Amino acid sequence: MRLADVQFSSRENAVVARLSGEIDLSNAQHISAALLEATPNTSLALVLDLTDVTYLDSAGIQMIYRLREGVRARAQTLRLVVPADSPTNDTLRLAGVAQHVQTIGTVDEALSELT
Amino acid sequence: METESLGREPQRREPRAGQTVLAPAAAELAPSGQVGSLHRLSDPALSELGLEDFLDELLVRVRDALAVDTVAILLLDEESQQLVARAAKGVEEEVEQEVRIPIGQGFAGRIAAERVAIFIADVDHADILNPILREKGIRSLLGVPLIVEGDLIGVLHVGSLKPRTFGERDLALLQVAAARAAPGIERARLFSALEHEHRVAMALQRSLLPKQLPDIVGVEAAARYLPASDEVGGDWYDVFELGRGRVGIAIGDVVGHGVGAAALMGQLRTALHAFASEGHGPGRTLELVDRYVNTMPQYAMATASYCVLEPETGVLRVASAGHMPPIIVANGSTRVVSIEPAPPLGAFPYASSQETETSLRSGEILVLYTDGLVERRRISLSDSIEALLAAVSGATSAERACQLAFENMVGLESLRDDVAIVALKNCEVPELLELRLLAEPRVLADIRRMLRRWLRARGAGDQETSDMTLAVSEACANAIEHAYSPAPAKFNLRASAQAREVTIVVSDAGDWRSPRGQDRGRGLAIIDTVMDEVQVSSSELGTEVSMRRTLGR
């Protein structure tokens, strides 16, 4: 098993990418490249589900910013699914960026917001 | 040209230039003194010389007995139906050039095809195929077929540099030599083939076993393999990193011996590793390997055990397909891991494999082995396993466990079966953690795992552990990103604790670059928030980030 893995599923107008494992300097760039690659132009949004991510650091935060810019350039939106009691939420809080990064608790909520 | 026929039963055969077909001579015609040295050619002990040495011995004796200048042996290559020069005296070029004569053609070819002795009085006027015979200046030739139990295996011929007539006594002598030598050649040939197969199987087995066990953070692995005395079996072992802090350890034993078993072992080892890498647990992994074995067209069966250890938590999952139960060495005592083994791989379609969960705590050693280690004549299996438990109980390292098992269990008696053993220790967490690491991003995950274990051992709570691990990983990422040197750069991590106060220092030989842009700033913000105190000192020697936090604050 790799340090992190990603599973894609297509929904109406959106791609849901479910990340699992650990995201750090060793894989953050590869993952953001893979995610942008897998999001077709026809999609309205990329829903990034970080529920199963067990570790994410500043390289992961940078990945989120990079993704946000990437989808924005294609007039798409990025929705981040980050449960309140997750390691990812801790990192966002400790880095002091929680107020700049909009997150949502579940994939269903993220998808219903899009319609 | 004239065709002569010597002997008592002249046979009518198609005449060929310069060749004289001879009827078999009576053996008693051979001079008894000369026959003596030839008799020993059928000595079974000679066949153990190996084919090359046996042929060499044979040629010298024949040359001396017949007082000839050249002797050569051509052996039948069944596939091509050609005679291939295998050994020679006086005409060594034949062998060097690997002269090939089609059956039925020329001098030797006709001897083989018609299974007759042929005499050539004058090479210049005869139908011979091999130019080397002429080039060497051979004048006269005499050749006989080599036959074993009715099968032609080759041709033996002698030559003279002076014109010579080979009489009935010469023919009888050569026939005796051929009759004595042929079974020996066949035995030696078989022996060589077997030995060759043994060497191939051995090389295959060795190449399919891990050359070196991987260096995995937090564990220590060791293994031994010893082939059986006479045959190579299909034992294998493996240790691999599964990612996300888990380690796989496997052992197996293919039913059968030789090249086939070694090749199947290679397939099973690869299949198991591949399924395991997909993240399947031990039970499921063995089920998938079993399914794979059941799809093989040939008969294939093996026993195997596969375990997955999470060193951080000590959780050990064990599964077995008809294999010997693993044992665990813990602080001078030992125990057998009780598992419900599934049937051997390939035994039944749709077999399912149970998984047992146990623990391998810090300092404990898991030992897997094949039955060759414990199956002994006149000793019951349970007594033998007891002996193994006693033997390894004093081991404090994986290497020592393998060593003790071999010393005590592999005796002087020749091994009937091959023996494999592999051991994995879940290493103790030192009080002072001092690491020197390659400045590469991939080491970060290992650092985090080690640090988590270390922090927990110091009494840190879950949130403290994850927050501090995050902060230290950020400091290390900074050292890695800014490391530059002609050689692979390294950096150091040192973690120590005094009472509840934890100090972690990350130092490198590079310049501290003030964090550029927002990204590094975020990392530093994390370190500042998590730690009670952070000091960055930079000198010509490098940069040091010292972080302090009191646990349970």
Side-chain angles (χ1 to χ4, degrees):
Chain A
M1 268 178 121
R2 290 181 296 184
L3 195 60
D5 260 309
V6 57
Q7 273 188 308
F8 294 102
S9 57
S10 294
R11 305 292 173 90
E12 202 182 337
N13 302 330
V15 167
V16 178
R18 186 172 162 179
L19 272 178
S20 62
E22 303 174 42
I23 296 155
D24 65 12
L25 192 61
S26 71
N27 58 11
Q29 254 178 331
H30 297 131
I31 291 169
S32 56
L35 292 173
L36 287 173
E37 181 72 23
T39 309
N41 280 325
T42 50
S43 256
L44 293 178
L46 169 63
V47 176
L48 183 58
D49 180 4
L50 299 171
T51 308
D52 293 333
V53 168
T54 56
Y55 176 86
L56 180 141
D57 61 18
S58 61
I61 298 177
Q62 198 185 340
M63 176 191 81
I64 291 169
Y65 282 112
R66 212 166 29 229
L67 279 172
R68 196 158 68 174
E69 279 167 37
V71 297
R72 205 173 269 164
R74 299 194 298 204
Q76 297 168 322
T77 47
L78 176 71
R79 287 280 179 274
L80 290 175
V81 177
V82 180
D85 61 347
S86 65
T88 300
N89 202 40
D90 288 349
T91 303
L92 296 176
R93 181 175 48 79
L94 292 169
V97 298
Q99 67 274 28
H100 309 301
V101 180
Q102 208 191 343
T103 62
I104 201 155
T106 66
V107 172
D108 286 344
E109 285 174 78
L111 288 171
S112 66
E113 247 187 25
L114 288 170
T115 51
Chain B
M1 279 285 174
E2 177 200 12
T3 294
E4 281 179 64
S5 232
L6 297 182
R8 289 159 298 178
E9 288 175 63
Q11 290 174 32
R12 307 297 308 171
R13 286 181 198 270
E14 198 184 318
R16 280 205 214 172
Q19 297 185 350
T20 306
V21 173
L22 307 177
E28 59 267 23
L29 282 171
S32 59
Q34 290 168 313
V35 167
S37 71
L38 295 175
H39 265 299
R40 273 194 48 219
L41 289 171
S42 54
D43 184 353
L46 270 180
S47 65
E48 280 177 27
L49 286 173
L51 188 57
E52 307 308 319
D53 292 340
F54 177 81
L55 293 178
D56 199 62
E57 184 71 30
L58 169 68
L59 295 185
V60 170
R61 291 187 194 186
V62 168
R63 186 186 59 192
D64 295 349
L66 276 117
V68 287
D69 301 304
T70 69
V71 197
I73 283 184
L74 299 96
L75 294 181
L76 174 68
D77 175 38
E78 289 195 21
E79 222 170 288
S80 62
Q81 282 298 301
Q82 289 175 332
L83 293 165
V84 184
R86 249 335 269 280
K89 294 279 168 207
V91 278
E92 282 80 358
E93 296 88 339
E94 269 203 52
V95 181
E96 282 158 21
Q97 296 175 17
E98 217 183 274
V99 165
R100 288 177 167 263
I101 310 285
I103 298 287
Q105 293 183 33
F107 166 62
R110 189 173 175 203
I111 296 170
E114 298 177 17
R115 301 183 178 206
V116 290
I118 290 179
F119 167 55
I120 292 177
D122 187 356
V123 164
D124 276 352
H125 302 103
D127 172 22
I128 63 170
L129 217 59
N130 180 3
I132 294 169
L133 298 178
R134 262 196 200 106
E135 285 159 15
K136 288 301 270 191
I138 295 171
R139 307 299 304 170
S140 307
L141 284 163
L142 175 66
V144 294
L146 293 165
I147 291 166
V148 179
E149 289 172 9
D151 292 327
L152 178 104
I153 65 160
V155 168
L156 168 66
H157 67 71
V158 295
S160 168
L161 295 174
K162 280 177 271 175
R164 169 173 171 177
T165 302
F166 289 105
E168 260 201 277
R169 292 167 80 85
D170 297 318
L171 175 62
L173 201 60
L174 197 61
Q175 278 171 346
V176 168
R180 297 295 181 205
I185 291 171
E186 192 61 4
R187 253 200 309 274
R189 206 181 199 183
L190 218 59
F191 182 76
S192 289
L194 281 174
E195 198 183 32
H196 178 68
E197 193 195 309
H198 184 68
R199 273 201 304 272
V200 169
M202 190 89 92
L204 189 60
Q205 170 87 4
R206 293 250 178 243
S207 70
L208 293 173
L209 285 174
K211 305 256 173 311
Q212 202 189 343
L213 294 179
D215 251 333
I216 303 172
V217 165
V219 299
E220 176 201 289
R224 293 274 196 290
Y225 170 75
L226 197 64
S229 321
D230 52 348
E231 269 186 310
V232 175
D235 282 9
W236 90 90
Y237 59 83
D238 213 349
V239 175
F240 41 80
E241 202 165 1
L242 286 163
R244 304 194 195 172
R246 292 174 313 131
V247 183
I249 174 170
I251 197 153
D253 184 353
V254 167
V255 174
H257 294 280
V259 177
L264 179 59
M265 172 278 268
Q267 286 176 287
L268 296 191
R269 183 186 158 214
T270 307
L272 191 149
H273 192 164
F275 290 130
S277 298
E278 278 296 294
H280 299 296
R284 182 68 183 145
T285 297
L286 288 185
E287 275 175 20
L288 290 167
V289 178
D290 178 59
R291 197 183 282 183
Y292 169 64
V293 174
N294 273 302
T295 63
M296 287 180 167
Q298 78 277 29
Y299 167 84
M301 192 141 77
T303 67
S305 179
Y306 173 52
C307 311
V308 174
L309 172 69
E310 197 175 61
E312 219 179 299
T313 57
V315 170
L316 177 71
R317 284 176 217 283
V318 182
S320 166
H323 200 83
M324 291 283 156
I327 60 182
I328 289 175
V329 184
N331 307 313
S333 72
T334 49
R335 68 174 196 271
V336 175
V337 179
S338 69
I339 39 169
E340 197 61 57
L345 304 171
F348 301 106
Y350 304 105
S352 66
S353 195
Q354 300 292 312
E355 203 169 294
T356 303
E357 187 177 315
T358 178
S359 61
L360 190 75
R361 285 177 275 269
S362 290
E364 297 184 344
I365 307 163
L366 172 72
V367 180
L368 306 180
Y369 52 96
T370 55
D371 53 10
L373 188 67
V374 288
E375 274 176 359
R376 289 287 171 273
R377 288 190 188 94
R378 295 179 301 276
I379 301 174
S380 77
L381 193 60
S382 58
D383 284 355
S384 200
I385 290 175
E386 281 302 317
L388 174 62
L389 289 171
V392 297
S393 63
T396 52
S397 70
E399 182 60 36
R400 185 78 181 133
C402 292
Q403 195 186 343
L404 286 171
F406 258 53
E407 270 174 22
N408 290 281
M409 303 301 293
V410 182
L412 293 173
E413 69 172 301
S414 65
L415 280 174
R416 282 187 302 159
D417 198 359
D418 45 351
V419 177
I421 179 169
V422 58
L424 187 74
K425 181 182 176 179
N426 193 0
C427 294
E428 293 100 340
V429 185
E431 260 181 55
L432 176 69
L433 193 64
E434 275 189 299
L435 307 167
R436 185 161 172 74
L437 300 138
L438 265 184
E440 286 175 9
R442 64 183 163 84
V443 305
L444 289 169
D446 286 339
I447 292 171
R448 292 196 294 271
R449 277 182 245 299
M450 248 179 306
L451 198 68
R452 278 189 206 113
R453 281 183 84 173
W454 185 83
L455 284 167
R456 284 208 193 91
R458 303 281 84 73
D462 286 350
Q463 194 64 47
E464 279 175 326
T465 300
S466 75
D467 287 358
M468 290 172 80
T469 302
L470 174 64
V472 174
S473 192
E474 291 288 356
C476 293
N478 202 55
I480 290 167
E481 278 203 303
H482 297 142
Y484 63 94
S485 81
K490 299 215 169 159
F491 70 102
N492 304 302
L493 181 126
R494 188 175 191 277
S496 58
Q498 273 204 314
R500 306 290 292 164
E501 195 182 70
V502 170
T503 304
I504 297 162
V505 181
V506 175
S507 57
D508 63 63
D511 294 328
W512 174 264
R513 309 263 181 101
S514 33
R516 286 171 301 179
Q518 281 188 313
D519 309 328
R520 275 291 134 230
R522 285 192 284 269
L524 230 67
I526 290 170
I527 299 173
D528 271 333
T529 315
V530 169
M531 297 297 187
D532 296 343
E533 195 188 333
V534 182
Q535 283 178 337
V536 179
S537 54
S538 217
S539 73
E540 283 151 23
L541 294 172
T543 302
E544 190 179 278
V545 182
S546 180
M547 298 164 279
R548 225 189 307 275
R549 174 162 166 172
T550 304
L551 298 178
R553 65 180 180 190

